[in-house]
Amino acid sequence: MKILFDTDPGVDDAMALLMLARDPRARLVGITTVYGNASIDTTTSNALALCERFKIDVPVARGAAKALVRPVAAYPEMVHGRNGMGDVALAPAAARREESHRAERFIARMARRHSGDLVLVAVGPLTNIALALEHDPDIVEHVRAVVVMGGAFGVNGHAGNVSPVAEANVFNDPHAADQVFSARWPVTIVGLDVTHEVLLDTAYLDAVGRDGGAEGAFIRDITRGYEEFYNRQTGGGIYSHDASAVACALDASPFKLRRGPVRAVTGGIAMGQTIQAMPDSPVPAIDWAGRPQQSVCVDVDASRLRADFRTCFVGK
Ligand code: BDR
Ligand code: CA
């Protein structure tokens, strides 16, 4: 499967990238960066450094520094550290340079080059994808599927992580999210409803660190501060949101999907909330009418995902 990875590395972004690099089902064809977990300078530098360190030989194109409309909120240093990598030093890439094209142009070029084959896996604010749609609206005909880590639909008792109703990636650019969900291409949304079901506990992370080679050891290092942050919510262990989205892109069979048009709330106290209209609901849904049916993940076989991550990093 040919994948273009749009990302704001980020601790769980780095885990997802290393999965994409290791999993034989994935053929990563490029990376686009976006602000989110840190500034665009930091996330781009992290993407280049990760590629150099782990010999991931794909082009990296810099994307948006801010959302389409709203000002950038503070970067979540308490989750991802000041450098986005849990404050673990990551040597800047010495030999690798970013692409001369900006992310939106790069996305459009890759969509056309790999027409019918390319899956966009987007695990940061959706600004680059919305800008790519604006730059070349016909990419909807060329992209095979879009898999998004973002949103929270209140399923399984999981609502927001940056407000009572909003998930961070959608909250950071709700206008972009609304455009991406409303475009006429197939979108699968991997939100907190399922990522919060896949807990990776301390023993699991220790095993990845011990048995997972250079990548596993790096993952263990960068997840220590992230784990401290999440321990307060989970009682022990982390959610690797972006790795769950990669898992879904590679094989959606561990997930239960729910179909219906999806909107993101773009202002007010519910800014960033994601809402899906149910096709069989008797309730009027005028603001969803005529928009494409998208797929929202509402359940997941968490044991299978944990086993898949382990196979990817530890090999058994
Ligand atoms: C999402 O926000 C970011 O902090 C993570 O990398 C993930 O993509 C989770 O809400
Ligand atoms: Ca991310």
Side-chain angles (χ1 to χ4, degrees):
M1 179 183 295
K2 290 181 185 167
I3 291 179
L4 194 155
F5 190 50
D6 185 73
T7 177
D8 59 335
V11 171
D12 57 328
D13 301 73
M15 292 178 75
L17 175 61
L18 293 176
M19 262 185 91
L20 282 171
R22 268 212 175 182
D23 194 304
R25 294 170 297 179
R27 191 183 138 209
L28 187 62
V29 300
I31 297 171
T32 48
T33 59
V34 64
Y35 70 93
N37 290 325
S39 72
I40 189 62
D41 285 342
T42 301
T43 58
T44 305
S45 156
N46 286 347
L48 289 163
L50 288 166
C51 285
E52 185 162 289
R53 178 159 172 169
F54 294 104
K55 302 188 173 38
I56 304 170
D57 193 16
V58 296
V60 174
R62 173 186 291 252
K66 60 182 180 53
L68 296 182
V69 177
R70 62 172 305 226
V72 177
Y75 302 120
E77 293 181 355
M78 63 297 184
V79 190
H80 297 271
R82 279 182 306 280
N83 70 349
M85 289 290 117
D87 290 330
V88 171
L90 179 62
R96 297 186 55 99
R97 300 276 169 273
E98 62 194 68
E99 289 289 288
S100 54
H101 283 107
R102 283 282 303 250
E104 62 269 25
R105 287 179 179 272
F106 182 76
I107 291 168
R109 195 150 51 91
M110 297 306 265
R112 286 174 178 276
R113 181 180 302 168
H114 302 289
S115 183
D117 277 342
L118 189 68
V119 176
L120 297 182
V121 178
V123 299
L126 290 166
T127 319
N128 290 338
I129 314 295
L131 289 171
L133 282 169
E134 188 186 301
H135 167 69
D136 183 353
D138 291 344
I139 60 171
V140 296
E141 308 292 338
H142 297 281
V143 167
R144 178 164 133 198
V146 184
V147 178
V148 169
M149 190 286 126
F153 295 82
V155 181
N156 303 320
H158 303 303
N161 61 358
V162 289
S163 89
V165 292
E167 178 280 331
N169 288 338
V170 175
F171 185 78
N172 276 333
D173 196 342
H175 299 84
D178 198 45
Q179 290 175 23
V180 171
F181 299 154
S182 298
R184 299 205 170 274
W185 54 10
V187 180
T188 301
I189 302 171
V190 184
L192 302 179
D193 315 86
V194 287
T195 68
H196 278 186
E197 292 285 302
V198 187
L199 185 74
L200 308 182
D201 66 17
T202 304
Y204 183 102
L205 292 167
D206 286 345
V208 168
R210 193 184 56 236
D211 305 328
E215 288 93 337
F218 180 73
I219 287 170
R220 189 62 191 109
D221 283 349
I222 62 171
T223 48
R224 290 202 191 272
Y226 187 84
E227 189 184 1
E228 262 173 47
F229 172 82
Y230 272 107
N231 279 348
R232 287 189 283 274
Q233 291 174 33
T234 63
I238 67 164
Y239 307 124
S240 187
H241 309 278
D242 297 347
S244 290
V246 164
C248 181
L250 295 175
D251 177 9
S253 68
F255 294 84
K256 183 174 168 200
L257 306 179
R258 188 176 76 187
R259 302 275 294 158
V262 175
R263 302 289 315 262
V265 178
T266 54
I269 61 167
M271 185 171 70
Q273 184 175 12
T274 45
I275 307 172
Q276 184 177 40
M278 253 45 85
D280 50 359
S281 166
V283 175
I286 296 161
D287 290 315
W288 286 255
R291 291 177 190 253
Q293 305 275 316
Q294 307 295 14
S295 300
V296 170
C297 293
V298 292
D299 205 358
V300 61
D301 182 342
S303 312
R304 233 177 107 185
L305 248 61
R306 276 189 288 268
D308 282 356
F309 296 152
R310 199 194 325 264
T311 306
C312 191
F313 291 114
V314 177
K316 57 184 175 325

